[in-house]
Amino acid sequence: MRSIKPITNSNKKFLALFYLVAVLGIVSLAQADEYTSSSFRVLDPVLAPAQFSTSTDFQLFGSLGEMGLGTSTAIGFGLQSAWLFFPVVATPVVSATAGDGSVALSWSAVTASLGWTVGGYNVGQATVAGGPYSYTSLGNVTSTTRSSLTNGTPYYFVIRPEDALSNTIATSSEVSATPVSSGGGGGGGGGGGGGETVTATGVNLSGYGYPLSKVTILKDGQIAITTIAGPDAKFAVALTGLSAGEYLFAVYGEDNQGRRSTLFTFPVYLTKGAMTNISGIFLSPTIDVDKREVAHGDNIAIFGQTVGSSTVTIAVNSNQEIFVRTLAGVGGLYLYNFDTTLIEKGDHTTKSKSTVLNEISPFGAVVNFRVGTTTVLAEPNQGCPLRGDLNSDCRVNLIDFSIAAYWYHRPLTADFIPREKAILSGDGKVDLVDFSIMAYYWTG
Amino acid sequence: MQNIIISIDPGPQSINAIGGEIIIPQGVEVISIASANSVVKFWMEAPSLEAGHLSLAGIIPGGYQGQPIELISLILPESVPVPKFDFSKLKVLANDGQGTMVTAKFYVTVTPIADQIITDRIPPEEFTPLISSDPTLFNGQKFLVFSAQDKQSGISHYEVCEKKAGDSKFASCIWQKNESPYLIINQKLDQRIEVKAVDLVGNERVVRAFSPPLDPLYYLIGAIIVGVFILWGARFIIRKLSRSSRSSSS
């Protein structure tokens, strides 16, 4: 039987020295030399800078803000530090409508922040689901028609927004369409009488809501259909029997506590006799806090629901915006105990967004809280809109619009004034501002 | 004729309310105004023209952010040069829950007059009227609200039919032009109410706004009829089975 020799003191010293030399060696290799350039970019993070970089014209993307003690100067560049928490853009929602030998694509305009600007879009096209795609640069547009396609062959598309330096900064989910030959033969129309029947004009919508939660789709501001997302938070619905023309679709979800997401709206032009596929809808997480006011130095819980096992980025506004990350559970619930020592006393807001695989939701609703000297617990969210609900039925829809429209530019009576104060702008009259508030909290 | 499309470009923000006036130069003849494909879905003031002032006010539920999109379109005579509109009196509000005023750009484009307006045979879309009541409206009495869309020529007007109590259920409807919100005459709601949306070329869509619940007697009669059929069917099957078993044993 083999015996195990004990480690002697000299061996321990040797091992300690070895590890020390190894660490110092790695650190020294990782140090960046001072570098200057009239025009270049550095994308890799610098681990132990203690150096500085100067240039007349460059952008340095690194983690200097996290670890560095160096300085960076330039006549004209942007330093975006804390790259580990660097917010990225939301993925666009794409619609595809098949035509004769062609597919018309349109997508929601992507907004970027914190140094990113969208410079243009690429469209990826494949004949196999999942790619590989061949990409074409389109410039800064939000629609394109892919032509010279084969009727009867399914095509698969993705849209990639690029930054100003032509770097891809997001990829949409895949959308597909199969070009079809336009109706042939004979004279169309003819025959007398009646109305024309529109068939097979509609839209397929799909995306992420919350696990096993209700998803509501509005068509031009009114409820068109509701569905329930699957355990994986995915949903898919079809609306048929529509006319050709411009529509404004809006989607929102309700989480397991009845909290509603913000409305995800996008315009779609429907072509007569064609089903338009819209994919990549990704509802923002719901969000709430456990305290309306928190004593400085205590924690405040920020929580909500989103896609299960997704990465949730929470932004807390302060003099400088602070970003933290947490993982949602399998059921999509997330919670983060935020330490208020990181922010100053006063009024603050928080919002969140979610990332799963390559898809990113927009930031959702903004929640207010105050950092002061006392703690005031928040009342449980009833799931009703905070404002705009004039008839208190927990919805903001055509009924509330009609009530407000009656008072539009009319002197308010004594019994309506308190409602205007509590539910609308509170300025004692019903005008465009009140309707704007209503439109923001709209539920259909 | 020429179709002048006025589009709004919200820029980087999301907007949800537009109101005010578009000033049209003196002497410009406007044949008609259309909002069938407008990004605005509900109008507090439907676009209307008076003495060169085109007034409008409406909202975009949920807001809009993106490329320039149609606000309204005007039909002008063919030979008229495109007018220089004044948009300075239009207010645009952000979709931020506060009604913050923001700036937006407006564009004017000329397109060929759409044949679809002339040959429109498609009725307005399905819509769902809603019944409600409010202490500050109609002294708390029940009223009906409705709003339809027509993507081809636009909505012209609405008509409502209420069958009064005592009318035969086979009596035809008497349609009357009305607007939303509509004060329901039959507050007992014991007869059906129908709403008709009519587009600019006369196509119609009729939807039922309300149906009173069925008399329980009808449910009883229905249950008796179904019960009779079930019993008859069961008797038929039992007879068939007993005949087969007799013939197989003999």
Side-chain angles (χ1 to χ4, degrees), chain B residues 150-167:
Chain B
D150 183 274
K151 299 297 177 184
Q152 285 66 46
S153 56
I155 296 292
S156 165
H157 64 274
Y158 298 91
E159 297 174 21
V160 180
C161 163
E162 268 198 80
K163 298 196 69 192
K164 296 183 184 50
D167 279 352

Side-chain angles (χ1 to χ4, degrees), chain A residues 87-378:
Chain A
V88 293
V89 301
T91 44
V93 174
V94 188
S95 71
T97 306
D100 188 353
S102 65
V103 172
L105 299 169
S106 66
W107 52 93
S108 53
V110 169
T111 53
S113 60
L114 297 182
W116 293 110
T117 54
V118 174
Y121 298 87
N122 280 331
V123 58
Q125 178 176 315
T127 51
V128 177
Y133 306 98
S134 63
Y135 288 93
T136 307
S137 177
L138 301 172
N140 201 355
V141 296
T142 56
S143 63
T144 183
T145 298
R146 314 314 292 162
S147 50
S148 303
L149 304 179
T150 305
N151 286 336
T153 299
Y155 288 85
Y156 304 87
F157 304 92
V158 292
I159 299 295
R160 285 185 164 179
E162 299 179 319
D163 65 8
L165 299 173
S166 301
N167 296 306
T168 296
I169 53 178
T171 303
S172 74
S173 61
E174 184 182 83
V175 66
S176 70
T178 303
V180 290
S181 170
S182 51
E196 181 180 312
T197 303
V198 178
T199 56
T201 302
V203 62
N204 294 312
L205 301 119
S206 61
Y208 282 115
Y210 314 129
L212 298 174
S213 66
K214 185 173 162 188
V215 177
T216 301
I217 287 99
L218 306 183
K219 174 174 66 75
D220 292 337
Q222 300 191 65
I223 294 177
I225 194 169
T226 59
T227 187
I228 302 290
D232 56 359
K234 288 184 180 175
F235 72 90
V237 292
L239 288 172
T240 55
L242 304 180
S243 309
E246 186 80 42
Y247 288 84
L248 190 69
F249 286 98
V251 185
Y252 69 89
E254 293 176 38
D255 71 9
N256 64 353
Q257 297 297 313
R259 287 180 292 256
R260 292 193 182 112
S261 70
T262 49
L263 279 176
F264 192 114
T265 62
F266 46 94
V268 177
Y269 185 87
L270 296 188
T271 302
K272 181 180 169 182
M275 289 296 290
T276 297
N277 299 322
I278 300 172
S279 68
I281 300 167
F282 195 159
L283 299 182
S284 307
T286 58
I287 188 168
D288 207 347
V289 292
D290 66 337
K291 305 176 183 75
R292 289 292 159 230
E293 183 169 344
V294 55
H296 192 228
D298 284 354
N299 288 344
I300 182 169
I302 303 170
F303 55 90
Q305 190 173 21
T306 181
V307 177
S309 306
S310 60
T311 302
V312 182
T313 302
I314 298 169
V316 177
N317 106 297
S318 183
N319 284 334
Q320 200 172 345
E321 205 157 18
I322 296 172
F323 295 91
V324 293
R325 277 188 177 169
T326 188
L327 268 181
V330 170
L333 299 175
Y334 71 92
L335 183 143
Y336 189 90
N337 282 310
F338 184 81
D339 183 357
T340 59
T341 56
L342 297 174
I343 53 179
E344 68 283 0
K345 288 183 185 175
D347 293 322
H348 299 275
T349 59
T350 183
K351 58 185 179 183
S352 64
K353 67 173 182 180
S354 192
T355 303
V356 59
L357 299 176
N358 290 327
E359 294 188 61
I360 308 160
S361 79
F363 274 109
V366 173
V367 175
N368 299 310
F369 66 94
R370 184 172 177 77
V371 176
T373 54
T374 61
T375 293
V376 177
L377 294 179

Side-chain angles (χ1 to χ4, degrees), chain A residues 219-220 222 246-247 419 436, chain B residues 16 67 125 134 147 151:
Chain A
K219 174 174 66 75
D220 292 337
Q222 300 191 65
E246 186 80 42
Y247 288 84
R419 263 203 280 175
S436 175
Chain B
N16 69 10
Q67 300 289 306
E125 300 200 351
D134 187 86
S147 176
K151 299 297 177 184

Side-chain angles (χ1 to χ4, degrees), chain A residues 108-109 111 121 140-142 189-198 218-223 241-248 250 263 265-267 269 272 387 390-391 393 397-399 401-403 405-409 413 415-416 419 425 431-442, chain B residues 12 14 16-20 36-39 41-45 56-67 69 91-100 116 119 121-128 130-138 143 145-149 151-152 180-181 203 205:
Chain A
S108 53
T111 53
Y121 298 87
N140 201 355
V141 296
T142 56
E196 181 180 312
T197 303
V198 178
L218 306 183
K219 174 174 66 75
D220 292 337
Q222 300 191 65
I223 294 177
L242 304 180
S243 309
E246 186 80 42
Y247 288 84
L248 190 69
L263 279 176
T265 62
F266 46 94
Y269 185 87
K272 181 180 169 182
R387 294 160 90 185
L390 282 171
N391 66 342
D393 65 351
N397 57 11
L398 187 57
I399 295 174
F401 177 85
S402 298
I403 294 170
Y406 176 80
W407 293 106
Y408 185 57
H409 291 169
T413 56
D415 52 354
F416 192 78
R419 263 203 280 175
S425 70
D431 59 11
L432 196 65
V433 172
D434 302 283
F435 284 97
S436 175
I437 292 169
M438 193 175 284
Y440 179 80
Y441 289 97
W442 197 266
Chain B
S14 177
N16 69 10
I18 303 159
N37 285 297
S38 174
V39 67
K41 298 305 173 189
F42 297 107
W43 296 100
M44 295 84 77
E45 284 183 52
L56 55 88
I59 59 169
I60 310 165
Y64 172 74
Q65 179 180 22
Q67 300 289 306
I69 195 165
K91 282 186 197 172
V92 181
L93 304 188
N95 185 41
D96 62 359
Q98 318 272 351
T100 309
Q116 67 180 25
T119 61
R121 289 202 228 159
I122 301 171
E125 300 200 351
E126 285 280 354
F127 61 105
T128 306
L130 300 170
I131 293 178
S132 187
S133 62
D134 187 86
T136 63
L137 233 62
F138 305 120
F143 58 86
V145 298
F146 40 83
S147 176
Q149 298 275 331
K151 299 297 177 184
Q152 285 66 46
S180 173
N203 297 309
R205 168 81 65 183

Side-chain angles (χ1 to χ4, degrees), chain A residues 50-68:
Chain A
Q51 303 280 351
F52 61 91
S53 306
T54 60
S55 169
T56 54
D57 180 18
F58 75 94
Q59 284 185 315
L60 171 62
F61 296 89
S63 64
L64 292 177
E66 288 284 294
M67 303 171 67

